[in-house]
Amino acid sequence: MRYIRPLSIEDAVGTLASSARTAAILAGGSDLLVRMKGGFVEPDLIVDIKAVPGLGDVQETAEGFRIGAAVPSAVLGENTALKKAWPGVVEAARLIGSKQVQGRCTIVGNLCNASPAADSVPAMVAAGAKAVIVGPSGRRTIPVETVPAGPGRTTLAKGEIIEAILLDKRPPHAGDAYLRFIPRTEMDIAVVSAGVNLTLDEKGAVKTARVALGAAAPTVLLVEEAAEVLVGSKLDEATLERLAKVCSGACRPIDDKRGTIEFRRKVAGVLARRAAVTAYQRAGGK
């Protein structure tokens, strides 16, 4: 096994692209190291990206926020401007693991681990986040929801690295929220989850909406029909009932020891409804 700690994103990409055997990227390591210790993976090459300039920074720009691939979730929770603009995204990131894990885990690692139950991913998708990818062919930017291809699989090509996550600058009267259901009070994997992002017009009606569900299908679901239900409303009871019904119907979950298909469908609707109310209130709705 080789361990490489590149000092530039170009070196990291080149090292990964030229590797003829299995390779893994190390940012926080909260997934990779556990899987290695459990004997599930044994990469021939580990590329530690924490020394790459910019990957450990959260930058606020005129366009919004740029979150480097190696920024721990704990750091996101300490960024006042980010918490104010995107509280749902930060809430989701702060649900990954324990207090100790928070100091290491990253939302990019959570995304690339490609678990259907990842906490930060539905919140990022609802927020319309984009991933900046660097690879042998250059740099490209894609919606976060197009990164996971299935459980444990991504659409990234050989040698490609997610360099950063981009979040747009918040317009006035906007809010987001993320909720999940777990059997325990903390430190558990989501049985189902929901992220909602709303902007309101000057009269308090929903102008734009995005609704995402986690642990409800092989990859995160962006439920466009649910967004259409919300647009133009002030989240009256009838609208919330339709939202819950649409989200329940959109689910394609599995039966396992943590939850049945019927249970996951029901709870998906409940969480979407509750998250929508929270996002609406954060946007200034009454």
Side-chain angles (χ1 to χ4, degrees):
M1 181 184 292
R2 290 191 301 146
Y3 168 85
I4 305 293
R5 188 177 173 89
L7 300 179
S8 71
I9 193 69
E10 291 78 14
D11 285 346
V13 168
T15 301
L16 286 169
S18 61
S19 174
R21 305 180 73 180
T22 59
I25 298 171
L26 173 63
S30 56
D31 283 313
L32 175 63
L33 298 182
V34 171
R35 294 172 66 200
M36 288 173 62
K37 186 174 182 180
F40 299 106
V41 296
E42 189 174 344
D44 299 295
L45 170 67
I46 294 176
V47 179
D48 186 343
I49 62 172
K50 289 191 290 295
V52 176
L55 266 60
D57 301 332
V58 179
Q59 301 172 349
E60 186 175 5
T61 68
E63 291 77 32
F65 292 88
R66 181 184 178 92
I67 302 170
V71 176
S73 292
V75 173
L76 299 183
E78 295 168 354
N79 190 300
T80 303
L82 182 62
K83 285 195 296 183
K84 182 179 179 180
W86 293 102
V89 173
V90 175
E91 285 169 347
R94 295 304 305 272
L95 288 173
I96 305 170
S98 64
K99 294 288 186 182
Q100 296 89 334
V101 171
Q102 283 285 304
R104 303 293 293 179
C105 66
T106 69
I107 59 174
V108 170
N110 199 222
L111 173 62
C112 291
N113 192 48
S115 166
D119 280 308
S120 67
V121 179
M124 287 194 285
V125 170
K130 295 179 175 59
V132 180
I133 298 171
V134 184
S137 300
R139 190 174 268 101
R140 61 193 178 101
T141 302
I142 63 173
V144 160
E145 59 265 30
T146 63
V147 174
R153 298 184 295 111
T154 73
T155 59
L156 299 179
K158 181 178 175 62
E160 288 192 322
I161 298 174
I162 295 182
E163 182 181 46
I165 297 294
L166 304 181
L167 292 167
D168 289 340
K169 183 178 180 179
R170 267 297 195 194
H173 310 299
D176 70 323
Y178 172 80
L179 291 173
R180 68 174 183 177
F181 175 82
I182 57 174
R184 301 188 297 182
T185 56
E186 59 181 332
M187 287 180 61
D188 207 344
I189 300 169
V191 176
V192 68
S193 62
V196 177
N197 178 36
L198 305 174
T199 60
L200 311 183
D201 63 21
E202 63 281 358
K203 295 181 180 179
V206 176
K207 183 166 61 176
T208 65
R210 285 174 67 93
V211 179
L213 302 175
T219 61
V220 63
L221 291 176
L222 179 62
V223 189
E224 295 182 359
E225 186 180 352
E228 293 170 2
V229 168
L230 294 174
V231 172
S233 77
K234 293 186 178 181
L235 268 62
D236 56 276
E237 183 63 26
T239 296
L240 293 173
E241 286 290 340
R242 290 199 303 274
L243 170 67
K245 183 177 180 180
V246 167
C247 287
S248 294
C251 290
R252 304 193 306 275
I254 60 171
D255 259 323
D256 63 16
K257 63 182 180 181
R258 301 177 59 252
T260 64
I261 290 174
E262 181 182 7
F263 179 78
R264 282 187 162 105
R265 283 177 173 161
K266 174 66 175 178
V267 176
V270 172
L271 294 181
R273 175 188 174 120
R274 293 178 181 176
V277 170
T278 300
Y280 185 74
Q281 292 170 344
R282 287 174 172 172
K286 297 180 181 179

